[in-house]
Amino acid sequence: MRRSLKSEYYSTFSVLLWQNKPMKKETLYLIEYLAKSEKNPFYARVIEHLTSCMLYSPSSLTQTRLSTMMHHYGLEIPKDENDAQKRLDVALDAVLPSSLNEGKKALFMTLLASNFPKKKGFLTLSLELFLSQLEPVEKSIYENLLAYVSGLNRGLALFYVLAKDQTTPFTPEQLVSLGSFLHVTLCQLIFNEEELGALEEGLKSLMSVYLTLYGKYLYM
């Protein structure tokens, strides 16, 4: 007899994640949903890296099956992958310390101010006003920086919530390894060769600052 969706899910996905981690079911479903993307390979690569670190146990379910499971548990099914990413951000922020979330926001605003000095005055009033003043080239730069920072934070936040309450602590070296992996992966997916030549060192420095921020809450 064919196994039920529920038994199939629990046989391929570690039950310990439900019991011992400060993560909601919705968070795990969204991670899995995004990892099955045929358009964006980022999440599949992140899950593969976390699995190699013994931090994650992925399922073999398709996006369709995952949507069915979400419906089964009364969770809202993502409209699309952009919707899933937005909801994942909300779910991850909900389990991170509020001061860490504030630190992330402050770093991003500092990044914008330093990269768009002529528009800094608008930024002090509101992000919406700042965005409305960007020229097409500036908007493209902003979108690329946002994609890099968002991907970096999602990967580091996943590590945080998975590693935080492990019986055997995960080392700072593993966090640094993930940061380097995320940096290389995001650079490959977001920037062309010319852009990367001009930005890579700055992005590495930015990645190190975010590592320090997350490391503060994981190891201090």
Side-chain angles (χ1 to χ4, degrees):
M1 175 181 284
R2 187 178 180 184
R3 295 178 298 172
S4 68
L5 280 176
K6 185 174 181 180
S7 64
E8 180 178 354
Y9 187 80
Y10 278 100
S11 68
T12 55
F13 201 79
S14 175
V15 178
L16 291 176
L17 288 176
W18 300 126
Q19 297 174 340
N20 296 333
K21 302 295 175 290
M23 300 179 73
K24 297 179 180 179
K25 283 183 180 180
E26 183 180 26
T27 308
L28 294 172
Y29 280 122
L30 290 170
I31 295 165
E32 288 282 315
Y33 181 92
L34 289 164
K36 309 303 181 189
S37 172
E38 296 181 356
K39 300 177 182 179
N40 184 354
F42 173 70
Y43 293 96
R45 295 186 190 180
V46 172
I47 292 304
E48 183 178 350
H49 183 88
L50 293 175
T51 300
S52 71
C53 298
M54 304 298 289
L55 261 178
Y56 199 81
S57 180
S59 81
S60 60
L61 301 182
T62 63
Q63 280 189 337
T64 300
R65 284 290 186 86
L66 287 163
S67 296
T68 301
M69 291 296 293
M70 292 182 77
H71 177 73
H72 174 78
Y73 283 107
L75 300 172
E76 185 179 352
I77 298 172
K79 298 179 182 67
D80 52 35
E81 290 176 11
N82 286 334
D83 181 46
Q85 284 191 141
K86 291 177 182 178
R87 288 170 54 193
L88 177 62
D89 288 340
V90 172
L92 288 171
D93 282 352
V95 295
L96 294 177
S98 59
S99 53
L100 196 163
N101 286 327
E102 290 302 316
K104 291 191 304 180
K105 294 175 184 176
L107 281 176
F108 186 61
M109 297 300 280
T110 300
L111 173 68
L112 295 182
S114 63
N115 280 273
F116 302 95
K118 293 182 179 180
K119 304 295 171 65
K120 184 177 179 180
F122 298 110
L123 189 62
T124 60
L125 297 174
S126 74
L127 179 60
E128 291 75 15
L129 181 59
F130 165 79
L131 293 176
S132 71
Q133 299 301 311
L134 294 182
E135 298 174 3
V137 173
E138 292 175 323
K139 187 174 181 181
S140 177
I141 295 171
Y142 167 82
E143 289 173 347
N144 285 343
L145 288 174
L146 177 62
Y148 178 87
V149 170
S150 296
L152 186 66
N153 273 299
R154 287 167 188 148
L156 294 176
L158 284 175
F159 182 92
Y160 176 93
V161 296
L162 290 169
K164 182 64 176 176
D165 293 331
Q166 288 285 339
T167 303
T168 303
F170 282 75
T171 66
E173 288 75 18
Q174 288 170 302
L175 178 64
V176 172
S177 174
L178 174 63
S180 297
F181 165 81
L182 291 171
H183 170 76
V184 171
T185 301
L186 290 165
C187 284
Q188 291 174 345
L189 295 174
I190 297 171
F191 302 100
N192 61 41
E193 189 172 337
E194 182 178 347
E195 291 171 329
L196 197 53
L199 294 172
E200 187 169 16
E201 288 306 311
L203 292 174
K204 281 183 180 178
S205 297
L206 178 64
M207 179 267 291
S208 296
V209 174
Y210 276 101
L211 282 180
T212 301
L213 176 64
Y214 281 85
K216 172 184 175 181
Y217 290 90
L218 271 170
Y219 304 113
M220 297 181 185

